[in-house]
Amino acid sequence: MQHYDVVILGAGAAGLMAAIAAGQRGRRVLVLDHADEPGKKILISGGGRCNFTNLDTEPGRFLSANPHFCKSALSRYTPQDFIALVDKHGIPWHEKTLGQLFCDGSARAIVAMLLDECAAAQVTIALGRKITGVSRADHFRIETDHGTVTAESLILATGGLSIPKMGATGLAYDIAEQFGLRLTEIRPALVPLTLDSAQLARTGALAGVSQPILARCGRAAFREAMLFTHRGLSGPAILQISSTWRDATPIMLDLLPDEPASGLAALKRARPKAALRSIIADMMPSRMADVFLPAPIAPNPIGSFTDDRLAGILAALKSWRLIPAGTEGYAKAEVTSGGVDTRDLSSQTMQARTVPGLFVIGEAVDVTGWLGGYNFQWAWASGWAAGSHA
Ligand code: FDA
């Protein structure tokens, strides 16, 4: 039976970063994963180019029952730290929009970089390992289908439930619970929302149409693109608010966020003979105008409406209130929100308060980033925190 200083379950973003940090401290590190390849989610991320961090990283861009928890780790391993690593490996990158940094080429470069760093830090990575049990006496004892290993420290980095087809499992939650750690409510997040059949009868024909909108859900508001789908709504604005949406609650969509409330009255003076439909179709895809403008009034010249009536028409387009039927679930969710309760972890080290030597990092923890590179930044930062102490 082999003994290690640190065993890490999960060779994803967080696990590999923790392995690098611990290995660089001279710890004997073993990373175990049931997949046949490390960093599979990194490979498919950002459309294959990996949106590996966000320059605007700050604690307010992460959701958690304790919004303060992420502060310490994020401040000690920053986007600039990760950029320095990427630059050290000569990986070209660019800022796309909203502080989002992507590889110029393939996400494979990020995985290769992490594996190079692991190799330099003498980390052992064992793939295709089924974890069959974990227990603790003097040491942690990790049983696999390839035998048993023991460790001083055990880091849980198996992520959340998103994309089960890629091998996502609830192993980190199960082991955390086994050791008495609490879990918060777990839900699919950064996920398309579905509409019911009555709503789809109206919007289904718009599948593939996209429009910049302002989406609100409770206190969350995101001004980004929305995409109509055959099942409902997607696009960055919808994915963002899906993380705060709860069943049976309404969302509010401003379909014309750039138009001031009095915008139509001003256009009436400029183009009184233009059909209302043409005016609206200048502001949104014409197929959308056909769905969202009441058919009987659409062909009428804008000059035939009173200013008050125009204000009412615009207000309806700026405040589409709807209650989604649900989400597309873990099969389509980019992340899982909720997870191991941060009350049971140290925010400095990610170590369990009541189980010395047990650490939880990455998506398995109740910290969920916005869309746009924030989730990887959390994986790097929480992985670095644990690897620096395990
Ligand atoms: P991660 O899921 O990366 O790794 C977990 C590892 O544990 C995997 O290697 C898995 O095989 C292993 N594992 C799971 N269960 C196991 C078990 N029972 N036994 C052994 N091993 C097990 N984020 C971002 O910031 N920018 C982006 O561009 C994207 N893009 C993106 C696209 C898509 C399609 C998805 C699904 C997700 C993203 N994300 C993202 C989110 C990002 O991928 C995610 O937040 C991180 O990968 C989380 O890192 P972790 O290391 O915590 O888990």
Side-chain angles (χ1 to χ4, degrees):
M1 186 158 38
Q2 277 195 296
H3 181 74
Y4 289 85
D5 295 325
V6 182
V7 166
I8 300 172
L9 304 187
L16 292 175
M17 183 55 91
I20 293 164
Q24 286 178 355
R25 289 168 48 235
R27 307 286 279 159
R28 254 188 102 225
V29 181
L30 171 69
V31 184
L32 294 170
D33 201 300
H34 65 173
D36 53 2
E37 205 181 352
K40 276 189 165 176
K41 275 198 188 160
I42 301 175
L43 295 176
I44 59 156
S45 68
R49 290 188 191 275
C50 186
N51 177 193
F52 55 77
T53 190
N54 194 300
L55 295 175
D56 300 331
T57 295
E58 51 107 352
R61 297 188 171 198
F62 295 83
L63 307 173
S64 171
N66 176 3
H68 301 291
F69 180 82
C70 62
K71 287 181 181 171
S72 173
L74 289 175
S75 69
R76 281 176 297 121
Y77 193 89
T78 65
Q80 282 66 35
D81 291 320
F82 196 77
I83 293 166
L85 189 60
V86 168
D87 286 343
K88 178 180 142 196
H89 286 257
I91 300 171
W93 54 269
H94 62 279
E95 180 180 350
K96 195 168 172 192
T97 173
L98 302 171
Q100 301 167 3
L101 303 192
F102 285 76
C103 297
D104 290 355
S106 163
R108 277 203 179 274
I110 298 293
V111 176
M113 172 190 86
L114 295 168
L115 295 180
D116 280 358
E117 291 287 326
C118 280
Q122 317 280 316
V123 169
T124 305
I125 299 177
L127 301 171
R129 299 295 193 270
K130 187 171 160 46
I131 316 299
T132 52
V134 171
S135 56
R136 180 169 177 261
D138 290 347
H139 299 122
F140 288 96
R141 191 184 157 91
I142 300 102
E143 279 151 43
T144 79
D145 57 350
H146 284 61
T148 301
V149 291
T150 55
E152 302 290 324
S153 296
L154 175 65
I155 302 182
L156 306 180
T158 53
L161 296 177
S162 310
I163 325 272
K165 238 174 36 189
M166 290 187 63
T169 70
L171 184 69
Y173 308 138
D174 297 342
I175 299 176
E177 276 197 307
Q178 178 194 330
F179 283 99
L181 276 59
R182 292 167 286 185
L183 300 182
T184 65
E185 185 197 7
I186 289 164
R187 297 175 60 90
L190 298 180
V191 62
L193 297 175
T194 55
L195 299 178
D196 63 26
S197 51
Q199 291 164 326
L200 280 178
R202 189 170 176 220
T203 64
L206 294 176
V209 170
S210 149
Q211 166 76 356
I213 65 155
L214 176 67
R216 289 182 196 280
C217 179
R219 272 185 280 166
F222 292 94
R223 201 182 162 115
E224 289 194 60
M226 173 178 78
L227 175 71
F228 290 92
T229 72
H230 289 292
R231 293 206 245 177
L233 302 171
S234 187
I238 297 299
L239 298 183
Q240 295 278 33
I241 52 161
S242 74
S243 298
T244 47
W245 181 73
R246 292 292 177 273
D247 295 337
T249 58
I251 61 172
M252 192 72 86
L253 306 180
D254 179 347
L255 303 177
L256 294 172
D258 294 326
E259 287 306 313
S262 59
L264 285 181
L267 285 164
K268 172 173 121 174
R269 318 253 183 274
R271 298 168 60 194
K273 293 200 175 123
L276 179 62
R277 181 192 178 279
S278 321
I279 298 276
I280 299 296
D282 285 346
M283 304 171 177
M284 59 172 59
S286 55
R287 281 160 70 196
M288 250 181 98
D290 290 338
V291 166
F292 284 96
L293 264 188
I297 62 167
N300 298 349
I302 190 169
S304 66
F305 294 91
T306 64
D307 286 2
D308 277 357
R309 179 83 171 100
L310 289 174
I313 292 166
L314 191 60
L317 296 172
K318 288 179 73 64
S319 52
W320 181 29
R321 181 183 183 277
L322 77 162
I323 299 179
T327 77
E328 293 213 20
Y330 291 113
K332 291 282 167 65
E334 208 160 281
V335 290
T336 303
S337 72
V340 174
D341 195 323
T342 59
R343 287 177 297 177
D344 292 338
L345 300 174
S346 153
S347 63
Q348 318 279 311
T349 64
M350 312 302 295
Q351 185 167 204
R353 292 190 186 284
T354 52
V355 190
L358 179 67
F359 297 75
V360 192
I361 57 176
E363 201 176 313
V365 179
D366 172 29
V367 173
T368 307
W370 286 10
L371 188 76
Y374 296 102
N375 284 297
F376 278 138
Q377 188 56 39
W378 171 247
W380 315 135
S382 59
W384 188 259
S388 302
H389 291 91

